[in-house]
Amino acid sequence: MKTVPCDTKLLRQAEYLGAAHRPRDWLEDSGSEVAFAGRSNVGKSSAINAITGRSRLARTSKTPGRTQQIIFFRLDDQHRLVDLPGYGFAKVPRELQRHWQKTLQRYFAERVSLRGLVLPVDSRRQPTMLDLQMLNWCAANDLPVHVLLTKSDKLSRSAAMTALTQTRTGLANIPHLKIQLFSATRGTGVEEARQHIVELLGNSPMTRPS
């Protein structure tokens, strides 16, 4: 049975809870949480800030890959948002890249409180191979994903709608997937994203493959 939070006001209560470099530092695995993951420089931190209405909650930077820890944000005693390290062309040592790959694989495989993933993708580009790997892993584990086509303000209205249609067509085979246009700058799609995240937070625990 689902227990959905009352409304999106829950997201506006977000506050920094802690950061973890290793699994032993993770917050207690109880309640429910929704994670944000994505390629570096797609506007993940800006999306978190816009959705929570907190302009400085997640640290933004012009340097890709600034988030190098798992960051936990408290909504209330039972609900959290999680900011995962960006992937792609982040300029970090290869040893650290391998460490984070293993850590993230373990997070997705073991985190019982994880209810869904928000995946920002630049609306001006198609999902990358790394994005597709993430989506396929989520599909294999029945984890719902909500894709934000970010920076839609950089496109004309017709181009943005074309990008939305093309992405939906290209990812039509991925189950438990929703896709929307989003712009942290103009506020496009912010309320829609909030509604979906609240729904994800209310999901029942996912069943892990045996």
Side-chain angles (χ1 to χ4, degrees):
M1 181 179 296
K2 292 185 178 182
T3 305
V4 181
C6 295
D7 55 39
T8 58
K9 291 180 181 179
L10 182 72
L11 299 171
R12 295 182 178 274
Q13 299 174 186
E15 59 184 14
Y16 175 82
L17 187 57
H21 185 68
R22 294 179 175 83
R24 66 169 179 261
D25 302 320
W26 292 351
L27 275 294
E28 181 181 356
D29 194 4
S30 62
S32 63
E33 61 192 32
V34 168
F36 285 71
R39 184 176 173 84
S40 299
N41 207 31
V42 295
K44 176 167 60 71
S45 295
S46 295
I48 293 174
N49 291 341
I51 288 167
T52 60
R54 304 285 301 278
S55 61
R56 298 183 180 181
L57 183 67
R59 298 174 66 186
T60 60
S61 173
K62 294 182 179 180
T63 302
R66 180 165 181 171
T67 303
Q68 295 181 8
Q69 295 178 308
I70 294 180
I71 311 296
F72 294 88
F73 300 109
R74 179 186 185 276
L75 301 178
D76 63 17
D77 290 341
Q78 293 298 315
H79 303 96
R80 295 175 299 278
L81 298 181
V82 182
D83 187 7
L84 302 176
Y87 53 77
F89 55 83
K91 295 181 179 180
V92 297
R94 184 165 297 181
E95 181 178 349
L96 183 58
Q97 290 182 20
R98 287 195 295 266
H99 164 74
W100 277 112
Q101 182 179 10
K102 292 179 180 178
T103 299
L104 291 180
Q105 287 175 343
R106 182 171 174 181
Y107 172 81
F108 282 111
E110 299 181 8
R111 195 71 175 168
V112 176
S113 55
L114 181 62
R115 298 293 188 267
L117 180 73
V118 178
L119 182 68
V121 173
D122 193 323
S123 61
R124 300 167 295 179
R125 300 170 178 84
Q126 291 296 310
T128 66
M129 288 301 298
L130 291 173
D131 293 326
L132 294 175
Q133 289 176 15
M134 179 71 74
L135 288 168
N136 287 326
W137 187 94
C138 291
N141 288 271
D142 293 323
L143 184 69
V145 181
H146 190 70
V147 171
L148 302 178
L149 295 181
T150 60
K151 306 183 182 183
S152 63
D153 57 289
K154 305 291 186 181
L155 299 173
S156 66
R157 180 175 176 80
S158 61
M161 294 307 298
T162 297
L164 179 61
T165 299
Q166 290 179 341
T167 305
R168 284 175 171 168
T169 300
L171 301 179
N173 63 321
I174 304 293
H176 315 302
L177 178 68
K178 295 181 179 179
I179 306 170
Q180 67 160 102
L181 292 171
F182 188 89
S183 169
T185 302
R186 294 186 179 175
T188 304
V190 170
E191 190 58 35
E192 179 182 354
R194 288 171 176 161
Q195 293 288 347
H196 286 298
I197 291 170
V198 163
E199 291 175 5
L200 290 175
L201 286 169
N203 281 348
S204 301
M206 58 185 271
T207 302
R208 307 283 174 174
S210 57

